[in-house]
Structure formats: structure tokens, C-alpha cells
Amino acid sequence: RVWRNSVSKKFNSNVNKDFSKLHEALQSYILTSNNPSKFEKVYNERLAWTFGFCSVLDYCHVDNNDPYKWRKKKFLEELKKYENVFKNLDLNDFRLPKRIMFFLVKRKFFGGVCVLCWLNRKN
């Protein structure tokens, strides 16, 4: 079922801050483990998913009333934190919809990500 009013569909301008707290906790846990490197791939995939959620719930959300230029600037600035994640991300590890989104993000194609989010919202 798809519920349009769920938390995973609503506009949230604080989504980056919320996910940052989560990733700090995850990173702390990983660093205290006996073998932190075994978590690297899965942690990086989680970071990619996070940026995808931030795009869907903030930068590209239909209810975000900020001008396109501001949203694009915010998107590109935040993406700098994730560049190594997307640079090394194996897109084949994801199903087609996420693969397309991550392909567009990797290439910094904000307009394409917005169109994809809009199409997803229409479904």
C-alpha cells in the first residue's frame, strides 16, 4: 500500500539533520566493532539511500516552495559530502528505480532527479 501522507512521503526540510544524527550513531557503532571494514559497503549504500531520501523529501519535493535555483544549490552542496560514496557505488546492487535515481545523482543532474521524484509522486 502507498499512503501519501506517510512520513516517507511528506516534505521535510530537516531530513538532512535527522539522517546526520542516525549516521553518527551508525558510524560510532561501526568504529567500535572488531572489524569496521566489513561494514564499509553496506554503510556507503545506506549513505546513498539517505541522500536519495533527502532528495525526495526535501530538494525535489513538490511541497518545497523554495526557488529551483536554491534547491539545486542546496542539493549540490549536500552532495559534496557524499561524492566518494556515489563515486564508488555499484549501481547494479540496486533495483531499477534506485539505480536510475543514483545514476542521475552521480552525474549531479538535479533536474532529472526532480522529474523522477515528480513521476514517482504521480504513481
Side-chain angles (χ1 to χ4, degrees):
R1 283 185 182 219
V2 176
W3 185 43
R4 294 207 185 278
N5 292 323
S6 75
V7 173
S8 64
K9 300 280 185 198
K10 282 186 177 179
F11 171 65
N12 181 352
S13 61
N14 293 318
V15 71
N16 282 320
K17 293 174 190 167
D18 296 342
F19 275 118
S20 290
K21 291 175 189 174
L22 170 67
H23 290 297
E24 286 174 17
L26 284 172
Q27 197 169 38
S28 176
Y29 172 79
I30 290 168
L31 292 174
T32 60
S33 75
N34 292 334
N35 187 3
S37 63
K38 75 179 180 181
F39 294 102
E40 185 176 357
K41 183 176 187 234
V42 117
Y43 180 70
N44 285 333
E45 288 175 355
R46 173 55 46 201
L47 289 173
W49 274 85
T50 293
F51 192 80
F53 269 119
C54 291
S55 297
V56 169
L57 299 179
D58 184 5
Y59 319 126
C60 299
H61 199 281
V62 70
D63 293 332
N64 187 337
N65 294 322
D66 290 339
Y68 180 86
K69 278 169 74 170
W70 293 0
R71 292 183 292 123
K72 181 177 181 179
K73 182 180 178 192
K74 191 174 168 185
F75 172 89
L76 293 173
E77 285 174 358
E78 193 65 26
L79 182 56
K80 287 178 186 176
K81 298 176 189 175
Y82 295 88
E83 279 184 321
N84 285 335
V85 169
F86 282 99
K87 183 174 150 187
N88 299 315
L89 192 66
D90 184 0
L91 297 177
N92 292 318
D93 290 341
F94 300 94
R95 289 194 278 151
L96 187 60
K98 286 291 178 217
R99 194 180 308 164
I100 293 168
M101 175 181 244
F102 294 157
F103 174 85
L104 296 170
V105 169
K106 230 176 166 172
R107 280 148 186 81
K108 302 176 183 175
F109 188 32
F110 179 69
V113 175
C114 287
V115 168
L116 198 61
C117 291
W118 180 80
L119 289 171
N120 185 41
R121 184 141 171 108
K122 287 290 182 189
N123 289 334

